[in-house]
Amino acid sequence: MAKIIAMMNQKGGVGKTTTSVNLSACLAVAEKKTLLVDLDPQGNGSLSLGLGKDQFVHCNIYHTLVADEPIKNAIYKTELPYLDICPADNNLSGAQIELVSVFARETKLKNAFDTIQDEYDYIIIDCPPNLGLLTVNALTAADVYIVPMQTEFLAMEGLAQLLNTVRMIKGSLNPRLEMEGVVLTMFDKRAALHNQVVQEIQNHFGEKVFKTIIPKNVRLAECPSYGKPIILYDIKSTGSSAYLSLAKELILRERMAQLQKPADSMGSESTL
């Protein structure tokens, strides 16, 4: 059964879509069957994997949420054998209004995933840069969430609002929701401020911060315009190495969590 990960930050320009696309691609290279769900009306994740809007204009995540189209009909193959995508276009911007009067509107995405969850190892949701109904749907469907944070001034601005939204979702719609971690992005090791921000975020989140830090990298900025993830555009770049390392770290976290489960259950039994 797939582990569902919501990639979220209500601030724009923090590397959310870049991380969603390239982490998904690197998981696929590790032969983990992965689905990237583009839940951002800008559709940048879809374009970053080489899909032209004319390819999916008649069936994408908008049609699944608003018209109850089975999500399997809105899933497309990519260049990578283990990576699929459920794309989005700007029609999705109207979904929040169209869903307002719909019964159980917060669980539309979760219900869609129930039909395909056994087909994947990971489902990664690229959330829009706000805390509206689309993000609520993502958090209601997700097992965990990851917060990409740019290593620049005011990196944690709005963080309290984000975490409050998570608490509300966890309390009313999805009690299993947990933070997987924080990914530090756009890091320039030569900048004293960037190093200071890294330290501040690590002090705040502790072990929740991924050890892998994504650097500022020209090749990372270029690859979306070519419709390729960084590992297909320039596998030798520092950006490619960083996302491969992040994928490895995520997989190892998952393995460690699975190994701890039997021990935890045995411990709880011994106390009965």
Side-chain angles (χ1 to χ4, degrees), residues 180-251:
E180 179 70 30
V182 173
V183 177
L184 300 173
T185 64
M186 303 182 188
F187 176 66
D188 183 351
K189 64 182 179 181
R190 299 166 299 178
L193 176 62
H194 283 224
N195 288 281
Q196 182 181 339
V197 171
V198 168
Q199 189 65 53
E200 181 183 354
I201 293 173
Q202 288 173 337
N203 289 341
H204 187 86
F205 288 102
E207 293 184 356
K208 287 293 185 182
V209 181
F210 283 92
K211 293 180 174 62
T212 302
I213 298 177
I214 310 301
K216 273 190 175 180
N217 181 242
V218 173
R219 307 299 271 175
L220 271 176
E222 291 174 350
C223 63
S225 63
Y226 289 87
K228 294 181 180 293
I230 189 64
I231 54 169
L232 293 182
Y233 180 65
D234 186 355
I235 196 169
K236 295 181 179 180
S237 68
T238 58
S240 180
S241 297
Y243 277 112
L244 285 167
S245 176
L246 181 63
K248 180 180 179 181
E249 191 174 348
L250 181 64
I251 292 168

Side-chain angles (χ1 to χ4, degrees), residues 81-138:
Y82 285 82
L83 179 61
D84 294 342
I85 182 168
C86 182
D89 60 19
N90 56 16
N91 286 322
L92 191 59
S93 60
Q96 300 195 94
I97 298 172
E98 294 176 71
L99 289 173
V100 164
S101 60
V102 174
F103 176 73
R105 58 186 180 272
E106 299 90 351
T107 60
K108 297 283 285 185
L109 190 62
K110 178 183 183 299
N111 295 338
F113 285 166
D114 286 344
T115 65
I116 59 163
Q117 197 168 352
D118 290 338
E119 299 177 22
Y120 294 95
D121 297 305
Y122 291 94
I123 297 175
I124 295 182
I125 312 167
D126 183 21
C127 297
N130 58 59
L131 300 176
L133 186 56
L134 293 175
T135 299
V136 169
N137 259 267

Side-chain angles (χ1 to χ4, degrees), residues 251-268:
I251 292 168
L252 288 175
R253 280 189 179 196
E254 183 77 2
R255 287 179 184 169
M256 290 299 295
Q258 290 173 353
L259 288 171
Q260 289 171 1
K261 280 181 182 179
D264 290 345
S265 61
M266 287 178 63
S268 60

Side-chain angles (χ1 to χ4, degrees), residues 12 14 21 47-49 56 69 89 111 121 134 145 172 176 178 186 199 207 220 235 251 263 271:
V14 298
V21 169
L47 299 177
S48 296
L49 286 177
F56 57 84
E69 181 74 30
D89 60 19
N111 295 338
D121 297 305
L134 293 175
Y145 64 98
S172 60
R176 75 184 186 282
E178 298 290 345
M186 303 182 188
Q199 189 65 53
E207 293 184 356
L220 271 176
I235 196 169
I251 292 168
T271 60

